[in-house]
Amino acid sequence: MAGAIRDAEQYVLPRRRWKVTDPNDPYVRLLCELIRTRPETAQTENVNRAIHMCRDFLETRSIPCAVEELGDRKILYASTVPGRTAEILLCVHVDVVPGSGRQFEPEIREGVLYGRGSNDCLGNVVAAMKILCEAGPGKSIGCLFSSDEEEGGKTTAEMVRRGYRGTRLALVLDAWGGNNIYYGQKGVLSLRLNAQGKGGHSSAPWAFENPVEKLIAGYAKLQAAWKNPAGADDWRVSMTPCVIRGGDVHNRIPDEASMILNIRTVDRSDVDRMIELVRTTTGLKVEVLGQSDPVKSPTDAPELDALRRAFRQAFGTYPGLIRNVGATDARHLQTIGVPVYVLGVSGDGCHASCESLKIESIDPLVKTVLGIALPQKDVFTIRSPEPGETWSILFTGDICPN
């Protein structure tokens, strides 16, 4: 049996004490400071400052770090082993969606931290940093800290292109956490519908060609021809408008209007099919703004079995195994060639004004990942026995049987 890995349920890791519910804990303090930097994706300077804060925190704890650049964006890689390759590759993102000023002043009430990015994804950022700091000798873990996940994750894709990878497993720590592990996610297709017209004064609509009306009529036809899924378990393509633009004053018909559709695909073949459907149904010009493929990792991989058992040992409950209607940087990591799964801290209000994190969920997540990051001597390969052979195997090392 090649690449056999010790079962996380049958073996007990050396016990440690985790406690990050205290507001004075260094990881909680760091999380609060990261939120206060306002690392909104479009505010590149703020995101870069958050990247440097993470690097400084890790380097003072003797974790080797490398900062790469993509344009004006910084990207951090930290690892317990030298080089660009680790056995387990983690991926988190330091950028957050926009929020109001008060959302960037974190508040802790009854063990819950409220603030923009607390759940998506800065809580996972500090969890990843604690994983690296608590790993101990012999555990091979690397982590990518991307800086533009909320706008497509080009920084993660670039780091993969530059050779940063995992040899056994990749884990995206993101807001889609709770008591679940995600083995798949939908792809994303972003389309802009453009309607052209002839603008003029709004007091004489009969004299002009209104592109807003064309846009509305085209989308009405698309609505009539398309039925969205009834829920997350209805694993079909979804489509919804997210941005509408047209006109700049209340009394002038514009020359053009546009709408951005966000489409979530379940198969690569959906892309061409949906583009053609939108174009022929609406009669409007269609522009592709971006596209990423769906992700599907094996549900029978031994790495996933070990991960689920480690999760149960840490959280006290078996995780659900589900697919994600949202998107993460797993879309870029799947090209590495190892299983990719998504899990994370527990919280609420992702992208909402009430975004929050259950601080106590950081520790079990740390323990889950460390539970599968076995020292190299505990990962072994043996050949199949020859006919008539009888083997007796003695395990030794830091991990002891129950």
Side-chain angles (χ1 to χ4, degrees):
M1 181 172 62
I5 300 168
R6 292 192 178 188
D7 193 307
E9 183 186 39
Q10 295 177 350
Y11 295 86
V12 179
L13 291 168
R15 295 192 179 276
R16 302 172 187 253
R17 288 189 176 272
W18 284 275
K19 184 181 180 182
V20 294
T21 55
D22 182 356
N24 294 317
D25 180 274
Y27 294 94
V28 176
R29 291 202 308 269
L30 175 63
L31 174 54
C32 291
E33 289 305 310
L34 288 171
I35 293 173
R36 292 189 182 105
T37 63
R38 298 189 64 137
E40 297 165 296
T41 311
Q43 304 300 320
T44 307
E45 185 176 337
N46 291 354
V47 179
N48 289 345
R49 186 160 62 250
I51 288 284
H52 288 147
M53 288 173 61
C54 294
R55 178 202 60 191
D56 294 346
F57 185 95
L58 290 168
E59 286 186 339
T60 60
R61 289 156 177 81
S62 302
I63 302 299
C65 296
V67 175
E68 300 258 12
E69 295 183 0
L70 179 63
D72 57 356
R73 289 194 179 276
K74 308 291 186 181
I75 321 156
L76 173 64
Y77 177 75
S79 179
T80 62
V81 294
R84 299 184 176 189
T85 299
E87 184 179 305
I88 296 176
L89 178 66
L90 307 179
C91 183
V92 294
H93 65 91
V94 177
D95 62 309
V96 305
V97 297
S100 65
R102 61 184 298 271
Q103 290 175 302
F104 290 99
E105 184 51 50
E107 180 181 356
I108 299 176
R109 299 196 305 268
E110 298 180 353
V112 177
L113 192 152
Y114 296 86
R116 170 59 76 232
S118 56
N119 185 27
D120 186 16
C121 175
L122 298 177
N124 288 295
V125 168
V126 299
M129 295 169 72
K130 188 164 190 180
I131 289 167
L132 293 170
C133 294
E134 295 283 350
K139 294 187 178 181
S140 177
I141 308 173
C143 185
L144 294 175
F145 296 78
S146 74
S147 54
D148 68 339
E149 191 270 354
E150 297 292 358
E151 292 184 357
K154 291 181 180 178
T155 52
T156 299
E158 179 62 19
M159 292 294 272
V160 171
R161 190 192 70 80
R162 294 181 188 182
Y164 291 91
R165 61 191 62 247
T167 59
R168 172 184 158 206
L169 181 66
L171 297 176
V172 177
L173 308 184
D174 208 336
W176 310 93
N179 290 327
N180 297 304
I181 294 173
Y182 295 83
Y183 68 91
Q185 67 184 39
K186 289 186 176 183
V188 180
L189 174 63
S190 182
L191 301 180
R192 178 157 54 209
L193 311 186
N194 295 299
Q196 302 297 318
K198 181 181 179 182
H201 202 285
S202 60
S203 64
W206 55 84
F208 305 100
E209 189 178 356
N210 194 328
V212 176
E213 293 179 343
K214 286 185 177 182
L215 191 67
I216 293 172
Y219 182 67
K221 294 177 183 177
L222 189 59
Q223 274 190 308
W226 182 260
K227 184 178 180 181
N228 268 322
D233 292 335
D234 186 359
W235 199 249
R236 295 185 294 114
V237 176
S238 67
M239 174 170 53
T240 190
C242 293
V243 179
I244 297 179
R245 291 192 175 97
D248 51 8
V249 294
H250 73 97
N251 60 353
R252 181 171 63 210
I253 297 170
D255 290 318
E256 59 183 8
S258 67
M259 171 188 294
I260 296 179
L261 293 177
N262 185 270
I263 300 171
R264 301 298 169 123
T265 61
V266 299
D267 188 85
R268 295 184 67 179
S269 63
D270 293 328
V271 174
D272 291 340
R273 177 173 67 89
M274 294 305 298
I275 293 173
E276 184 63 20
L277 173 68
V278 172
R279 179 182 291 115
T280 58
T281 304
T282 65
L284 301 172
K285 181 181 177 182
V286 177
E287 178 185 359
V288 178
L289 300 180
Q291 183 266 327
S292 63
D293 289 336
V295 175
K296 184 178 181 181
S297 287
T299 58
D300 58 353
E303 293 83 4
L304 177 58
D305 184 58
L307 182 63
R308 296 184 75 193
R309 294 174 186 273
F311 187 105
R312 184 175 73 172
Q313 199 171 41
F315 282 88
T317 182
Y318 234 126
L321 189 59
I322 61 178
R323 295 175 292 189
N324 189 359
V325 296
T328 71
D329 275 344
R331 54 194 160 193
H332 305 302
L333 299 182
Q334 65 178 335
T335 61
I336 293 175
V338 298
V340 183
Y341 304 104
V342 182
L343 69 164
V345 296
S346 296
D348 201 3
C350 177
H351 290 197
S353 60
C354 59
E355 184 172 1
S356 65
L357 161 74
K358 294 181 181 178
I359 299 176
E360 66 179 9
S361 69
I362 294 175
D363 290 342
L365 179 60
V366 172
K367 190 175 181 180
T368 297
V369 177
L370 293 181
I372 61 167
L374 303 179
Q376 288 296 315
K377 59 187 174 183
D378 293 308
V379 180
F380 55 92
T381 302
I382 57 177
R383 65 175 175 80
S384 300
E386 298 294 337
E389 278 188 315
T390 300
W391 287 3
S392 177
I393 301 176
L394 173 65
F395 294 101
T396 62
D398 297 331
I399 299 175
C400 301
N402 285 329

